[in-house]
Amino acid sequence: MRKNAIIMCCYVCVAAAFGGFFRWIQTLTAFEADTGLIIPGSIWSKLMALLCVVAVLGILAWVLKLRKQEYYPARTCEVVYRGTTPLPPYIYTVFALVMAVGGVILFVTSKFRAYQTLIRLLAFFAVLSAGSFYYVASSPYKQREVGMQCLSAAVLTLTGCFWMILSYKINSTTPSVWRYSIEILALAADTIAFYYLAGYAFGKPKPYRSMFFAFTGAFFSLVAMADERMLGMQVILGAVAAMLMYSGWMTIASMRVGKPIKAEPQTETEE
């Protein structure tokens, strides 16, 4: 399954590289300098929209291909994050640290900015999410409580919801939706991805949906980094992309050949 994971990650990275380039060119040429409005008929806007559609359809096609094959996906956090990667086994710690650093940078640089309180609240959520992701991703290596896994997974989803609200509030006066559309798509996909990944902690996993939204969120997050925003937000967004790429990889790598096994009902035991 590592071959499938490598293909998906490479596909997302290549698509995001083209998407980031197209987005950069679009930002330079497709908006009026005086008003900030989108220039009607801009070829780069059309190419940007086409690339996003093609990239997402490509991810969907690959996920559906995997779904048709006889693979047994993981059902718990302990199993899904036990997949193998060519990177060091504790690479998830680096992703968590990068997000925490991004949160600290965002908190420090938000002074005297509009919506300072909300931005600092996002910074707090980012640091909290860093610890939450570390807690969940380290489940195969350390004994974790199910309740804390559920709480950590919920924090990641809540952070995405809050960032979407903040993004809309900050960009509410922006004259063109194209200016922040990629960011909104990225945050929406990230939030849905963390929502479905939380299913592993809550005992209701949706592996193929988790896989699709994890790679889709990673793609849009990488493309959105071509836009200008606060340094702390850029670091956090990059960390989110890495976390989702890692989670998507693990979702595929932890699959085993065979027919799905029905989960046995849990029974209470007396001590």
Tab-separated table of all heavy atoms in Angstrom, residues 202-225:
chain	number	residue	atom	x	y	z
A	202	PHE	N	-13.710	8.450	17.673
A	202	PHE	CA	-15.079	8.270	18.167
A	202	PHE	C	-15.661	6.902	17.828
A	202	PHE	O	-16.811	6.625	18.159
A	202	PHE	CB	-15.983	9.362	17.596
A	202	PHE	CG	-15.809	10.701	18.267
A	202	PHE	CD1	-14.878	11.607	17.789
A	202	PHE	CD2	-16.570	11.046	19.371
A	202	PHE	CE1	-14.710	12.847	18.406
A	202	PHE	CE2	-16.413	12.266	19.989
A	202	PHE	CZ	-15.474	13.175	19.508
A	203	GLY	N	-14.882	6.067	17.153
A	203	GLY	CA	-15.355	4.726	16.844
A	203	GLY	C	-16.268	4.644	15.644
A	203	GLY	O	-16.940	3.628	15.436
A	204	LYS	N	-16.297	5.685	14.812
A	204	LYS	CA	-17.119	5.685	13.605
A	204	LYS	C	-16.285	6.168	12.414
A	204	LYS	O	-16.540	7.230	11.845
A	204	LYS	CB	-18.350	6.581	13.794
A	204	LYS	CG	-19.314	6.078	14.868
A	204	LYS	CD	-20.535	6.960	14.965
A	204	LYS	CE	-21.510	6.438	16.010
A	204	LYS	NZ	-22.724	7.288	16.120
A	205	PRO	N	-15.263	5.401	12.043
A	205	PRO	CA	-14.359	5.846	10.972
A	205	PRO	C	-14.990	5.795	9.598
A	205	PRO	O	-15.800	4.919	9.306
A	205	PRO	CB	-13.192	4.855	11.078
A	205	PRO	CG	-13.825	3.618	11.635
A	205	PRO	CD	-14.894	4.090	12.584
A	206	LYS	N	-14.619	6.735	8.776
A	206	LYS	CA	-14.988	6.764	7.362
A	206	LYS	C	-13.676	6.885	6.572
A	206	LYS	O	-13.296	7.979	6.143
A	206	LYS	CB	-15.901	7.948	7.060
A	206	LYS	CG	-17.205	7.975	7.845
A	206	LYS	CD	-18.169	6.905	7.365
A	206	LYS	CE	-19.507	7.022	8.075
A	206	LYS	NZ	-20.468	5.980	7.650
A	207	PRO	N	-12.953	5.789	6.390
A	207	PRO	CA	-11.592	5.859	5.843
A	207	PRO	C	-11.485	6.500	4.468
A	207	PRO	O	-10.556	7.265	4.214
A	207	PRO	CB	-11.146	4.386	5.822
A	207	PRO	CG	-12.405	3.590	5.886
A	207	PRO	CD	-13.361	4.402	6.683
A	208	TYR	N	-12.419	6.207	3.571
A	208	TYR	CA	-12.292	6.737	2.217
A	208	TYR	C	-12.659	8.216	2.157
A	208	TYR	O	-12.053	8.988	1.401
A	208	TYR	CB	-13.137	5.906	1.256
A	208	TYR	CG	-12.651	4.480	1.164
A	208	TYR	CD1	-13.323	3.452	1.827
A	208	TYR	CD2	-11.502	4.166	0.447
A	208	TYR	CE1	-12.862	2.144	1.772
A	208	TYR	CE2	-11.032	2.860	0.387
A	208	TYR	CZ	-11.712	1.855	1.051
A	208	TYR	OH	-11.240	0.565	1.007
A	209	ARG	N	-13.634	8.626	2.947
A	209	ARG	CA	-13.939	10.055	3.042
A	209	ARG	C	-12.786	10.805	3.718
A	209	ARG	O	-12.430	11.916	3.318
A	209	ARG	CB	-15.240	10.261	3.810
A	209	ARG	CG	-16.465	9.690	3.103
A	209	ARG	CD	-17.742	9.961	3.891
A	209	ARG	NE	-18.891	9.293	3.287
A	209	ARG	CZ	-20.134	9.383	3.748
A	209	ARG	NH1	-20.386	10.133	4.821
A	209	ARG	NH2	-21.115	8.748	3.140
A	210	SER	N	-12.229	10.188	4.758
A	210	SER	CA	-11.080	10.793	5.437
A	210	SER	C	-9.930	10.985	4.461
A	210	SER	O	-9.288	12.041	4.421
A	210	SER	CB	-10.631	9.902	6.599
A	210	SER	OG	-11.668	9.704	7.529
A	211	MET	N	-9.675	9.959	3.661
A	211	MET	CA	-8.594	10.002	2.687
A	211	MET	C	-8.822	11.108	1.653
A	211	MET	O	-7.918	11.909	1.359
A	211	MET	CB	-8.513	8.639	2.002
A	211	MET	CG	-7.285	8.401	1.162
A	211	MET	SD	-7.488	6.865	0.213
A	211	MET	CE	-8.059	5.728	1.498
A	212	PHE	N	-10.050	11.167	1.116
A	212	PHE	CA	-10.351	12.148	0.080
A	212	PHE	C	-10.196	13.573	0.602
A	212	PHE	O	-9.516	14.406	-0.019
A	212	PHE	CB	-11.771	11.940	-0.439
A	212	PHE	CG	-12.262	13.046	-1.337
A	212	PHE	CD1	-11.767	13.176	-2.625
A	212	PHE	CD2	-13.189	13.972	-0.886
A	212	PHE	CE1	-12.197	14.209	-3.456
A	212	PHE	CE2	-13.629	14.999	-1.705
A	212	PHE	CZ	-13.130	15.118	-2.988
A	213	PHE	N	-10.799	13.875	1.737
A	213	PHE	CA	-10.745	15.246	2.246
A	213	PHE	C	-9.374	15.597	2.805
A	213	PHE	O	-8.985	16.773	2.790
A	213	PHE	CB	-11.832	15.462	3.295
A	213	PHE	CG	-13.208	15.632	2.709
A	213	PHE	CD1	-14.149	14.623	2.794
A	213	PHE	CD2	-13.549	16.804	2.040
A	213	PHE	CE1	-15.415	14.769	2.239
A	213	PHE	CE2	-14.807	16.966	1.479
A	213	PHE	CZ	-15.737	15.947	1.581
A	214	ALA	N	-8.622	14.608	3.294
A	214	ALA	CA	-7.275	14.883	3.780
A	214	ALA	C	-6.383	15.355	2.631
A	214	ALA	O	-5.687	16.382	2.747
A	214	ALA	CB	-6.686	13.641	4.444
A	215	PHE	N	-6.410	14.640	1.517
A	215	PHE	CA	-5.581	15.033	0.375
A	215	PHE	C	-6.125	16.296	-0.299
A	215	PHE	O	-5.343	17.132	-0.772
A	215	PHE	CB	-5.490	13.887	-0.634
A	215	PHE	CG	-4.597	12.774	-0.184
A	215	PHE	CD1	-5.091	11.499	0.014
A	215	PHE	CD2	-3.257	13.004	0.055
A	215	PHE	CE1	-4.272	10.462	0.439
A	215	PHE	CE2	-2.414	11.977	0.475
A	215	PHE	CZ	-2.924	10.701	0.669
A	216	THR	N	-7.449	16.444	-0.334
A	216	THR	CA	-8.025	17.660	-0.909
A	216	THR	C	-7.670	18.878	-0.066
A	216	THR	O	-7.307	19.940	-0.587
A	216	THR	CB	-9.555	17.530	-1.010
A	216	THR	OG1	-9.884	16.410	-1.839
A	216	THR	CG2	-10.172	18.787	-1.614
A	217	GLY	N	-7.772	18.733	1.251
A	217	GLY	CA	-7.400	19.827	2.139
A	217	GLY	C	-5.932	20.187	2.021
A	217	GLY	O	-5.561	21.370	2.019
A	218	ALA	N	-5.077	19.165	1.916
A	218	ALA	CA	-3.647	19.424	1.764
A	218	ALA	C	-3.372	20.175	0.455
A	218	ALA	O	-2.563	21.116	0.413
A	218	ALA	CB	-2.876	18.109	1.785
A	219	PHE	N	-4.049	19.772	-0.619
A	219	PHE	CA	-3.871	20.442	-1.903
A	219	PHE	C	-4.253	21.919	-1.824
A	219	PHE	O	-3.456	22.808	-2.191
A	219	PHE	CB	-4.715	19.750	-2.979
A	219	PHE	CG	-4.907	20.550	-4.228
A	219	PHE	CD1	-3.871	20.710	-5.140
A	219	PHE	CD2	-6.119	21.182	-4.490
A	219	PHE	CE1	-4.038	21.476	-6.294
A	219	PHE	CE2	-6.300	21.944	-5.638
A	219	PHE	CZ	-5.257	22.095	-6.538
A	220	PHE	N	-5.458	22.210	-1.344
A	220	PHE	CA	-5.907	23.600	-1.283
A	220	PHE	C	-5.071	24.424	-0.297
A	220	PHE	O	-4.839	25.623	-0.522
A	220	PHE	CB	-7.388	23.668	-0.905
A	220	PHE	CG	-8.324	23.433	-2.055
A	220	PHE	CD1	-9.156	22.328	-2.085
A	220	PHE	CD2	-8.366	24.327	-3.118
A	220	PHE	CE1	-10.026	22.108	-3.147
A	220	PHE	CE2	-9.226	24.122	-4.191
A	220	PHE	CZ	-10.053	23.006	-4.204
A	221	SER	N	-4.616	23.807	0.788
A	221	SER	CA	-3.796	24.532	1.762
A	221	SER	C	-2.464	24.940	1.145
A	221	SER	O	-1.994	26.066	1.349
A	221	SER	CB	-3.555	23.666	3.003
A	221	SER	OG	-4.756	23.409	3.692
A	222	LEU	N	-1.853	24.046	0.388
A	222	LEU	CA	-0.587	24.369	-0.265
A	222	LEU	C	-0.774	25.447	-1.326
A	222	LEU	O	0.063	26.359	-1.458
A	222	LEU	CB	0.010	23.103	-0.887
A	222	LEU	CG	0.501	22.042	0.104
A	222	LEU	CD1	0.897	20.759	-0.632
A	222	LEU	CD2	1.663	22.567	0.922
A	223	VAL	N	-1.862	25.359	-2.081
A	223	VAL	CA	-2.140	26.382	-3.099
A	223	VAL	C	-2.402	27.737	-2.437
A	223	VAL	O	-1.926	28.780	-2.906
A	223	VAL	CB	-3.336	25.975	-3.971
A	223	VAL	CG1	-3.720	27.109	-4.925
A	223	VAL	CG2	-3.013	24.719	-4.769
A	224	ALA	N	-3.135	27.722	-1.332
A	224	ALA	CA	-3.473	28.975	-0.640
A	224	ALA	C	-2.247	29.679	-0.086
A	224	ALA	O	-2.282	30.892	0.155
A	224	ALA	CB	-4.459	28.690	0.494
A	225	MET	N	-1.160	28.952	0.118
A	225	MET	CA	0.057	29.578	0.641
A	225	MET	C	0.688	30.542	-0.356
A	225	MET	O	1.598	31.301	0.004
A	225	MET	CB	1.062	28.500	1.040
A	225	MET	CG	0.629	27.683	2.256
A	225	MET	SD	1.853	26.463	2.772
A	225	MET	CE	3.134	27.546	3.428
